[in-house]
Amino acid sequence: MNDEKRGWLGAYVDGELGAQESQAVRNVLDTDHETRSYVEKIRGLNEALSSAYAPIASEQIPLSIHGVVHRYRKSLVQRVLPFALAASLAVIAVLLIRQVALDDQMQDQLAKIQAQMALLRAQTLENVPSGTVASWSVVPGKARIEVMPVRTYRTADSRFCREYEERVDEGGIVEVRRGIACRSGKAEWADLRSGMM
Amino acid sequence: MRTDLTQQLIELIPRMRRFACGLSGERDRGDELVQAACERLLKHQHRLQPDTRLDSWLYRVIRNLHLDSLRSASVQDRGVEQMRQVADVSARNADSLEGEMALHEIQRGMAALSEEHRTVLMLVCVEGLSYRETADILQVPMGTVTSRLVRARKALIEQLGEDSVKLELEALG
């Protein structure tokens, strides 16, 4: 068998041939033992190669590589920090003014929204992998929360803790926060630390 | 857009590690290559065209970084011994003793091939890329990919021996 035919058969195994050419190969396979044997060998080799290296892709990503992406995220944060700070001060000012004006009923509603947001944050920390943004609408068109777990680690007393970033939008007032929460039970996460970015 | 890029990058890292470890034959070296490629991507992201395929870009950069490092004699001297490290670690995850032995042999066989042959086998047979995608990454004509594959497969079968291939297939079977 020459290399040209080997290339043709390899392309057949690799799914590179069109329907007509593939049929031509199958016709040869039916009648020629040497061709069939080569195709089986190549097919097996492909499978063996794929299996040999598959475990590497299932492993956890090393911290050194995670660190590169994380560092980049941090530098993004540093770039937007002055704007975030100004926005946060504006949010605080608005919140203070609004707090004075709110009657009991409105405060009650706000507390419910915040409780709902805490629940959604906990659900996100419980289920969503680091680096993925979970977006929730709390009150359609009025309040929404986006949470992104950033990093997961285990404390010395074996508790799971996660760093997260979140963006809370309450009626157009946007607040960006970063925090650390630790798991205290199933889908229960207690904030260890949180603050505006 | 930038957040999307980092997210896409995180999703691609497992495949890039598999490719880099297979290419370099060394666990730590593979991770170093992926780390350097990620840094390069994030640093030069503004130069990427909107239609750039990130995976192809990363495969190409990892391969080029690997070629650069091969030019340094200190890395070249490490050779086959370090290929065994990849084999040892990966084989631990295999389901059975027979599977472990078969996978170990495959990786040792790969270690004995030329860089050119190992690369084309990794891209087509392990990463599952088409000949067209492989040709674009390696910046060679498609016919070159086909002929390299023929020679690479022949060389790997010779390394493994005809009987080994059969045994591996049975073990994986």
Side-chain angles (χ1 to χ4, degrees):
Chain A
M1 190 185 294
N2 61 27
D3 279 358
E4 195 181 341
K5 187 171 180 186
R6 287 194 185 98
W8 184 55
L9 297 174
Y12 166 73
V13 172
D14 295 328
E16 291 285 328
L17 300 185
Q20 211 171 350
E21 270 203 283
S22 295
Q23 187 55 51
V25 174
R26 281 193 288 275
N27 292 342
V28 180
L29 290 179
D30 287 341
T31 54
D32 183 33
H33 172 73
E34 190 195 5
T35 303
R36 195 164 54 241
S37 161
Y38 182 75
V39 163
E40 280 169 12
K41 199 184 291 175
I42 295 306
R43 200 170 267 152
L45 201 62
N46 274 9
E47 201 179 319
L49 277 165
S50 170
S51 305
Y53 292 96
I56 299 173
S58 320
E59 292 168 3
Q60 203 168 7
I61 299 171
L63 285 175
S64 57
I65 299 175
H66 246 308
V68 172
V69 183
H70 189 63
R71 263 205 315 277
Y72 166 77
R73 280 210 169 119
K74 266 176 82 174
S75 72
L76 251 190
V77 168
Q78 282 159 2
R79 263 180 271 168
V80 300
L81 196 63
F83 302 101
L85 209 59
S88 301
L89 288 172
V91 168
I92 292 168
V94 171
L95 281 176
L96 283 173
I97 295 165
R98 195 178 62 166
Q99 191 67 25
V100 173
L102 278 178
D103 60 21
D104 286 350
Q105 194 184 354
M106 285 180 78
Q107 282 196 33
D108 204 37
Q109 196 183 353
L110 194 63
K112 276 182 190 162
I113 290 172
Q114 281 168 354
Q116 181 71 5
M117 283 185 175
L119 199 66
L120 293 171
R121 184 186 303 120
Q123 277 181 23
T124 305
L125 294 173
E126 184 79 7
N127 298 307
V128 175
S130 296
T132 303
V133 178
S135 186
W136 308 92
S137 175
V138 183
V139 180
K142 288 185 179 169
R144 61 183 297 109
I145 180 170
E146 288 175 1
V147 186
M148 182 180 74
V150 174
R151 195 169 73 93
T152 307
Y153 60 90
R154 216 161 174 174
T155 60
D157 58 350
S158 294
R159 281 193 309 160
F160 280 105
C161 295
R162 304 190 78 182
E163 286 179 23
Y164 65 90
E165 288 172 13
E166 68 180 12
R167 181 180 181 278
V168 175
D169 182 345
E170 286 181 72
I173 300 169
V174 177
E175 200 173 292
V176 183
R177 282 192 293 249
R178 170 171 280 203
I180 298 173
C182 295
R183 196 171 190 266
S184 53
K186 194 179 177 190
E188 285 176 10
W189 291 77
D191 256 342
L192 199 66
R193 193 173 73 215
S194 75
M196 278 179 281
M197 284 169 40
Chain B
M1 168 61 195
R2 285 176 173 179
T3 310
D4 284 348
L5 182 79
T6 55
Q7 185 54 40
Q8 284 176 50
L9 182 57
I10 287 168
E11 284 165 14
L12 287 171
I13 286 171
R15 279 166 57 195
M16 296 306 140
R17 286 188 68 231
R18 179 175 59 193
F19 175 63
C21 290
L23 203 61
S24 66
E26 189 187 345
R27 271 318 235 235
D28 292 345
R29 184 63 199 143
D31 284 340
E32 280 169 19
L33 290 171
V34 174
Q35 190 177 329
C38 289
E39 268 168 2
R40 193 171 285 194
L41 175 74
L42 294 169
K43 195 171 167 190
H44 301 295
Q45 58 170 294
H46 57 280
R47 291 190 203 162
L48 291 179
Q49 298 298 316
D51 58 346
T52 301
R53 269 189 58 172
L54 278 190
D55 56 349
S56 299
W57 192 94
L58 287 164
Y59 282 129
R60 190 181 306 127
V61 169
I62 287 169
R63 203 250 176 161
N64 289 342
L65 289 167
H66 176 58
L67 288 179
D68 289 346
S69 70
L70 281 184
R71 288 186 193 113
S72 122
S74 59
V75 174
Q76 224 162 5
D77 288 342
R78 296 182 198 170
V80 171
E81 186 53 39
Q82 284 157 348
M83 290 287 178
R84 295 193 182 116
Q85 292 180 15
V86 173
D88 290 344
V89 177
S90 282
R92 277 204 293 273
N93 295 320
D95 290 329
S96 64
L97 184 60
E98 291 86 354
E100 272 190 28
M101 288 169 67
L103 301 184
H104 193 85
E105 282 306 307
I106 283 279
Q107 290 176 331
R108 283 166 69 101
M110 284 285 275
L113 302 187
S114 69
E115 183 280 333
E116 212 171 67
H117 287 170
R118 204 159 53 235
T119 302
V120 79
L121 287 173
M122 285 303 296
L123 289 173
V124 175
C125 305
V126 178
E127 298 302 321
L129 299 185
S130 69
Y131 289 10
R132 172 81 272 155
E133 291 166 328
T134 303
D136 288 345
I137 290 166
L138 301 179
Q139 295 173 310
V140 296
M142 259 175 77
T144 305
V145 171
T146 311
S147 55
R148 271 187 201 171
L149 264 176
V150 169
R151 291 197 299 271
R153 281 171 164 149
K154 192 174 169 189
L156 185 57
I157 289 169
E158 275 169 13
Q159 282 298 326
L160 299 171
E162 297 280 333
D163 291 340
S164 298
V165 174
K166 283 179 198 154
L167 279 174
E168 276 145 18
L169 301 184
E170 283 162 16
L172 291 163

